[in-house]
Amino acid sequence: MKLNRIICGALGILALASCNDKMEYNEYNIYEKDYITRNFSYVGGLMTRIYNDLDGDWGNYSGAVLGSATDESQVSLSGNQIEDFYNGAWSPANAKGSMWTTCYDGIEYCNQVLDEFQGLTFDELVLNSDYAKQMFRYNNYRFEARWARAYFYFLLARQYGGVPMKTHTMSAAESNALTRSTADEVFQFIDSECEDIQDSIVKDYTNLGDMAIGVPETGRANMFAVMALRARAAMYHASPLFNESNDASRWLKAAQACKALIDSCTAAKKHLSATYDALWSNTSYSDAEPSAEIIFGRRYAAARTFETYNFPAGYQSAQGLNCPTQNLVDAYDMRDGSTWAEAVAAGTAQDGDDMFQNRDPRLALTVAHNGEAWPKDYYDNNGNVPLQTYVGGLNGRPTYSYATPTSYYLKKWCNSSTILRSSAANSFYHIWLTFRLGEFYLNYAECLFQYAKAQGNSNAADFTNSEFTMSPREAASKTRQRVNMPAFKIGMSNSDFWTRYKNERFVELAFEGHRFFDVRRWKEAPQYFTNIVWMEITKNADDTYSYRRVNNTRQWDDKMYLFPIPQSEVAKSGGLIEQNPGWN
């Protein structure tokens, strides 16, 4: 846990812009408290610092995303630190503890805003024409800080379970004397905080009336972000990892929270984006369609780092690092709604050149494959030669030792217009989708289904009542219907729906940071994380291709459902912080 400290030094990099609806690079110098209390903009700098601690995954493990520790992808470069999650090198001494450090850093700043910088009047600004507007913004900071603090505790809880609760500024001695609260207590804190601020925080930054200042600051947390946090945290609290007795009341509470969010979004004319890939375009937070679905996203300045990590090997500077697995490719249904396994069993599909034909459209938007003309600059400037991911191909092994081992490259999140060539390099804005409506249709489906099943309903997928008029099946079909895939069929057994629901979540939320924690909260890791399948493609003498599946075994131990507490934190507490089970 971070120690309390004097607010000083250079603070912040990415700031919330008040003038152009984007994230901008600004520097904030934070001085002593007495100086800050005289200057409104420096209090705003504290808030910027808090927002900068929110999570996003653009390759947090030396370019590898957390999905490469799951069945989503395989890192191409052997020895990358992401492998520690499944090769036995993970331990309290190698705890992957950046989230612990970052979250407590953010919590500390939230506490300082709430404890030390409330009730200010900035008297020297009273005569300014925008004084009332600036004070309106300042008075909202306390609700933003409470939301952010609750969100940081959610990130800690889903990763560690119970953690020390630091809800006020403390001395170093006080901080180090804290013991772990239970996971239940952390989730209850998140819920109560969200309930308390939901009706007080700004509802919509695009509709502030007389309090508006320039272009709306839509990158800030609002009422919908508070409701989203409350609903997601409630779902985690109801999940098997944190709900060993399968208390049905938790599933009910989570379903109600998801429904409240969906109803509020609907009333505000928020809806699913008409196109799936628009959600991660460089203009997603300003274009009407994707912004109608995005509840909260962390915005990043123009960069090409993610594309450099993930564009195909063979393109100048590209590393081809996070390579989608065959497990993920198999998860995408056929256009008629049948699964890949069903189509293979029926003889209507097989591994081969046409594997990407007649598939769920989201597959082509997520995964790049052999023979595809992608990305545009590489294709155009390589003599219109499509990707060659087969053995010996231009983008395969052993041509490049770090080329894809799975025969696939990652498209999702990558801006295909990015140019890596030094002579014409460009960059684009990116957004990390913290909360979006598509996720909460799926969350609602899961929570209501599990509640209905716990009540003994053998057809829980179609459950409705006077409170819940949308069934789990209908909700889980929303993201499918967006891409013109068939809705799930009426009358599915509980077992069949649960399997298809998890698959839909795998597909829809691929590479958005959910898979690693979803499988853990379900406590189903041995089923999904121990056998990772690659596709090996060989070019034959007659220019046809042969396809061979390669199975790769990864280690799993049930202690890995939760992260180890960093050993340094246990030592700092003098042993008051207990280690998670199995990690001693």
Side-chain angles (χ1 to χ4, degrees):
M1 194 186 314
K2 290 190 70 65
L3 302 180
N4 193 21
R5 57 180 179 265
I6 297 174
I7 307 170
C8 60
L11 183 64
I13 296 177
L14 293 171
L16 292 169
S18 60
C19 58
N20 65 1
D21 193 33
K22 295 178 181 177
M23 299 294 288
E24 295 290 0
Y25 283 104
N26 289 309
E27 292 291 336
Y28 285 94
N29 292 317
I30 299 304
Y31 304 96
E32 298 294 338
K33 178 182 176 182
D34 289 344
Y35 182 87
I36 296 173
T37 58
R38 296 196 303 270
N39 193 312
F40 168 83
S41 65
Y42 284 104
V43 180
L46 283 173
M47 293 306 304
T48 296
R49 183 62 178 81
I50 291 168
Y51 277 101
N52 289 340
D53 276 332
L54 299 180
D55 62 322
D57 189 1
W58 301 112
N60 292 342
Y61 295 91
S62 301
V65 299
L66 202 55
S68 285
T70 76
D71 51 352
E72 279 185 331
S73 57
Q74 171 69 45
V75 70
S76 64
L77 188 61
S78 179
N80 185 282
Q81 60 174 307
I82 200 71
E83 296 176 350
D84 293 351
F85 283 107
Y86 55 82
N87 67 5
W90 198 11
S91 71
N94 179 28
K96 307 299 181 185
S98 61
M99 186 64 71
W100 180 285
T101 302
T102 300
C103 285
Y104 277 112
D105 181 81
I107 289 166
E108 181 175 348
Y109 280 110
C110 290
N111 287 337
Q112 288 171 340
V113 168
L114 294 168
D115 290 351
E116 301 178 26
F117 297 103
Q118 294 305 302
L120 306 180
T121 57
F122 307 105
D123 294 341
E124 74 280 9
L125 303 178
V126 170
L127 297 180
N128 289 6
S129 60
D130 65 348
Y131 178 73
K133 296 178 181 180
Q134 295 287 7
M135 289 302 295
F136 175 82
R137 178 198 278 181
Y138 161 74
N139 287 324
N140 192 60
Y141 285 164
R142 65 183 182 272
F143 304 120
E144 294 178 71
R146 290 176 68 182
W147 170 84
R149 184 176 62 182
Y151 183 70
F152 290 131
Y153 275 117
F154 165 74
L155 296 178
L156 289 167
R158 75 173 181 178
Q159 191 157 304
Y160 298 102
V163 294
M165 294 291 292
K166 185 178 179 181
T167 57
H168 296 285
T169 55
M170 294 180 175
S171 68
E174 290 171 328
S175 179
N176 290 336
L178 290 173
T179 58
R180 295 176 67 178
S181 296
T182 66
D184 286 347
E185 289 169 336
V186 178
F187 282 115
Q188 287 162 5
F189 172 79
I190 295 167
D191 185 73
S192 63
E193 283 289 277
C194 290
E195 181 180 29
D196 197 44
I197 68 175
Q198 176 178 308
D199 296 328
S200 300
I201 197 169
V202 166
K203 178 180 180 180
D204 183 358
Y205 288 95
T206 67
N207 186 25
L208 294 181
D210 294 339
M211 292 296 105
I213 305 175
V215 174
E217 294 183 300
T218 54
R220 310 188 83 94
N222 61 12
M223 181 194 75
F224 300 106
V226 173
M227 297 180 75
L229 172 58
R230 188 181 189 190
R232 187 195 284 175
M235 180 182 71
Y236 270 72
H237 193 211
S239 297
L241 181 60
F242 302 107
N243 185 17
E244 294 182 0
S245 65
N246 195 30
D247 180 352
S249 68
R250 293 192 191 179
W251 287 116
L252 175 60
K253 182 176 181 178
Q256 290 169 331
C258 291
K259 180 180 184 296
L261 173 63
I262 291 170
D263 289 347
S264 293
C265 286
T266 301
K269 302 189 184 305
K270 294 184 71 65
H271 55 79
L272 296 185
S273 172
T275 52
Y276 179 59
D277 57 335
L279 288 166
W280 61 88
S281 72
N282 61 296
T283 56
S284 63
Y285 41 76
S286 57
D287 289 349
E289 278 299 312
S291 63
E293 178 169 349
I294 297 171
I295 294 171
F296 181 84
R298 183 177 172 188
R299 303 172 185 183
Y300 292 79
R304 56 182 175 276
T305 306
F306 192 75
E307 288 76 13
T308 300
Y309 285 149
N310 294 291
F311 271 4
Y315 185 18
Q316 180 177 330
S317 302
Q319 299 176 25
L321 198 56
N322 299 284
C323 303
T325 63
Q326 191 64 44
N327 309 61
L328 178 63
V329 172
D330 288 350
Y332 292 83
D333 289 346
M334 310 302 291
R335 287 302 298 263
D336 64 4
S338 60
T339 67
W340 172 254
E342 289 170 342
V344 170
T348 58
Q350 62 180 353
D351 293 344
D353 299 351
D354 61 352
M355 284 177 58
F356 277 63
Q357 301 299 313
N358 300 316
R359 302 291 292 276
D360 184 325
R362 291 171 292 188
L363 174 57
L365 298 173
T366 304
V367 179
H369 61 88
N370 185 56
E372 184 172 3
W374 186 88
K376 185 179 185 301
D377 183 66
Y378 176 78
Y379 177 74
D380 290 345
N381 286 278
N382 200 41
N384 298 125
V385 176
L387 289 177
Q388 298 179 1
T389 64
Y390 55 85
V391 176
L394 291 175
N395 313 103
R397 298 185 177 190
T399 306
Y400 293 95
S401 60
Y402 57 90
T404 172
T406 69
S407 294
Y408 305 115
Y409 286 106
L410 178 61
K411 291 174 75 174
K412 189 170 179 178
W413 294 115
C414 292
N415 189 313
S416 62
S417 297
T418 301
I419 299 173
L420 299 184
R421 291 178 295 115
S422 56
S423 60
N426 60 6
S427 300
F428 294 94
Y429 289 99
H430 294 74
I431 183 171
W432 183 254
L433 299 174
T434 306
F435 299 121
R436 64 179 177 93
L437 186 55
E439 174 202 340
F440 287 93
Y441 278 116
L442 294 171
N443 294 0
Y444 170 94
E446 177 175 343
C447 297
L448 186 57
F449 169 77
Q450 293 292 358
Y451 170 70
K453 190 176 75 166
Q455 301 303 303
N457 194 316
S458 61
N459 182 216
D462 293 314
F463 173 82
T464 60
N465 61 17
S466 59
E467 181 179 9
F468 299 104
T469 58
M470 178 171 56
S471 71
R473 179 191 60 81
E474 290 173 307
S477 297
K478 292 285 188 180
T479 48
R480 297 170 61 82
Q481 292 171 310
R482 181 236 299 277
V483 293
N484 296 315
M485 287 293 292
F488 289 125
K489 296 178 181 179
I490 296 173
M492 298 173 71
S493 69
N494 287 348
S495 176
D496 285 347
F497 177 78
W498 181 235
T499 298
R500 296 299 298 273
Y501 165 81
K502 289 185 294 182
N503 196 77
E504 175 62 19
R505 193 173 179 91
F506 190 19
V507 165
E508 173 69 18
L509 301 178
F511 297 100
E512 294 184 32
H514 293 278
R515 185 67 173 176
F516 185 94
F517 295 104
D518 278 344
V519 173
R520 280 172 163 77
R521 65 182 177 83
W522 295 329
K523 300 191 73 172
E524 296 183 1
Q527 179 179 344
Y528 295 106
F529 288 173
T530 57
N531 184 42
I532 306 303
V533 184
W534 304 351
M535 180 62 73
E536 181 182 87
I537 306 175
T538 304
K539 189 174 184 179
N540 303 316
D542 61 357
D543 289 337
T544 61
Y545 298 98
S546 297
Y547 293 79
R548 182 175 74 92
R549 290 174 176 244
V550 180
N551 294 311
N552 295 269
T553 301
R554 291 181 179 176
Q555 296 183 31
W556 178 262
D557 188 302
D558 283 355
K559 68 182 181 182
M560 296 190 291
Y561 280 121
L562 293 173
F563 277 47
I565 305 293
Q567 188 59 44
S568 59
E569 299 298 331
V570 176
K572 188 187 300 181
S573 73
L576 291 175
I577 295 179
E578 296 182 5
Q579 184 57 265
N580 270 327
W583 288 108
N584 290 313

